[in-house]
Amino acid sequence: MLQAALHHGDGTAVIESGVGFTWLQLRSQVGQVAQGLLRVGVQPGECVALLGKNSTHLLTYMFAIPAVGALVVPLNTRSSIEELAHVLDDSGATLLVADASVEARAIRAASSARLRTLVRLPAAPSELRDRSPSAQPDCSDEGSLTIVDHVGLACGASLAVEEWGCGAGDAYGIFYTSGTTGGAKGAVLSHRNQLFQASVKVGTVGISRDSIYLAALPLFHVGGVSIALAATMGAARLVIEPQLQWGSAWRLIRHASIDLLTVVPAVLQLLFDAIDANADADAAASAAAPAVRCVLVGGQVRDEWGLNSRHRRPASLRRGIGCPLCGLAFDPARGSRSARIR
């Protein structure tokens, strides 16, 4: 992120619900949030949990938490209160960042954990700009839990870049399993893990400053974090839509000129169904729109997806070694899809 801000500072880093932010604005906000985390007592080696829908604010914390030497612990927004409490307790998180959509559940889950602080995120994106250094976080108490408003926490002086503290071998975060075979279990990933994953995706997929990535996978998912970091490494533009509905997603993809996204097989099918259902009505507009260059699919490629159905070129499918991550390219303007296992 720092490299992107250094070399492409005035370029667009993130667009959320039509609101755009530059790399310099993102770097400034990350520094301010990092300083705010130190101000409320976050120490190196502590865990900071994240709970909420995809947003620019959540992305900011993904960079700010490691900047102070703390660990990121993404929480599944679909988890029950008991499941959230288990992860918070197991990780030993001392601070939880939550948006308005999950705040009530977050407070209830926090009551049985060792949390000291909950940071309340705003419901909508706000401008990422410097705020008055004299401002202080707005705080309230919920039992033993201190609730801090993000706008107050992220105000004031920015943590100097030379003070950002994390090394390649340090832990980046703890990612928890879904808990289908018992309680959710945490896996610790290092910064080196994340850098390697991101660099492989940048090279394999061809992510660059000309790429426009739709952040469709949730940022609580290891795959969602990995591709978001890869997009940042390549200085690509990230498009975030918290209320994304796949039945109408193609309109957003076309309007924002998305050329890269990551989905699971079920979502891919929903996207294809929506494209097919609107093929005639949107033919003229689709013909003028650029094609999606690549869709990364974390799952098994099956012919039932309709890759070889009528109006489409036969797909070229090859199975690779290891994770079945499929690079799929399709152009609805020509009624064609092609895929290859990466």
Side-chain angles (χ1 to χ4, degrees):
M1 189 274 295
L2 292 175
Q3 290 297 312
L6 177 65
H7 296 290
H8 313 290
D10 292 330
T12 301
V14 186
I15 299 177
E16 179 182 347
S17 302
V19 180
F21 312 108
T22 68
W23 288 107
L24 285 175
Q25 287 176 312
L26 182 62
R27 185 187 67 178
S28 175
Q29 182 72 353
V30 168
Q32 289 177 292
V33 169
Q35 188 66 65
L37 291 174
L38 293 176
R39 199 162 56 240
V40 296
V42 174
Q43 299 294 318
E46 291 187 341
C47 289
V48 176
L50 301 176
L51 180 64
K53 299 176 182 178
N54 286 7
S55 68
T56 308
H57 294 303
L58 211 63
L59 184 69
T60 300
Y61 279 87
M62 282 174 47
F63 293 113
I65 294 167
V68 299
L71 282 71
V72 176
V73 182
L75 302 180
N76 192 329
T77 56
R78 305 184 186 102
S79 295
S80 66
I81 293 172
E82 292 74 18
E83 290 168 334
L84 291 173
H86 165 71
V87 173
L88 290 172
D89 185 64
D90 186 72
S91 66
T94 57
L95 185 144
L96 170 62
V97 180
D99 67 24
S101 68
V102 292
E103 183 180 342
R105 280 195 297 142
I107 292 174
R108 291 181 62 187
S111 63
S112 59
R114 288 173 282 179
L115 284 173
R116 298 190 303 261
T117 311
L118 184 144
V119 176
R120 178 192 291 121
L121 291 180
S126 57
E127 287 193 57
L128 303 182
R129 58 174 53 156
D130 294 339
R131 296 182 176 89
S132 168
S134 62
Q136 296 294 322
D138 296 327
C139 300
S140 61
D141 292 323
E142 184 78 27
S144 61
L145 185 67
T146 299
I147 300 178
V148 180
D149 184 70
H150 163 81
V151 175
L153 180 138
C155 69
S158 179
L159 182 67
V161 171
E162 56 269 21
E163 296 182 41
W164 292 22
C166 58
D170 295 338
Y172 169 81
I174 306 177
F175 293 80
Y176 279 79
T177 63
S178 59
T180 52
T181 58
K185 302 171 183 64
V188 179
L189 297 183
S190 69
H191 287 275
R192 184 177 288 113
N193 294 145
Q194 299 292 46
L195 287 170
F196 178 77
Q197 286 275 351
S199 61
V200 167
K201 287 182 173 67
V202 168
T204 304
V205 179
I207 302 174
S208 72
R209 62 177 300 185
D210 297 322
S211 303
I212 304 176
Y213 168 63
L214 176 60
L217 279 184
L219 290 175
F220 64 71
H221 190 281
V222 65
V225 172
S226 176
I227 189 64
L229 293 177
T232 302
M233 178 180 284
R237 183 178 305 177
L238 282 77
V239 176
I240 297 175
E241 188 62 40
Q243 304 298 331
L244 186 64
Q245 299 293 324
W246 285 105
S248 57
W250 177 245
R251 291 180 177 83
L252 170 65
I253 293 171
R254 187 181 63 203
H255 176 74
S257 299
I258 301 296
D259 72 338
L260 172 65
L261 66 151
T262 308
V263 295
V264 295
V267 169
L268 180 67
Q269 185 63 66
L270 289 174
L271 181 58
F272 280 171
D273 290 345
I275 293 171
D276 291 343
N278 294 280
D280 294 334
D282 291 349
S286 295
V292 172
R293 179 174 58 83
C294 184
V295 180
L296 296 179
V297 184
Q300 178 65 45
V301 178
R302 302 192 306 272
D303 188 60
E304 298 93 285
W305 287 358
L307 293 173
N308 297 313
S309 62
R310 62 187 180 86
H311 305 310
R312 304 180 184 95
R313 290 194 305 254
S316 173
L317 300 176
R318 292 176 295 172
R319 183 169 305 283
I321 299 174
C323 177
L325 190 62
C326 169
L328 171 71
F330 64 94
D331 182 357
R334 292 192 295 269
S336 62
R337 304 173 188 170
S338 62
R340 60 183 180 277
I341 298 293
R342 295 189 183 275

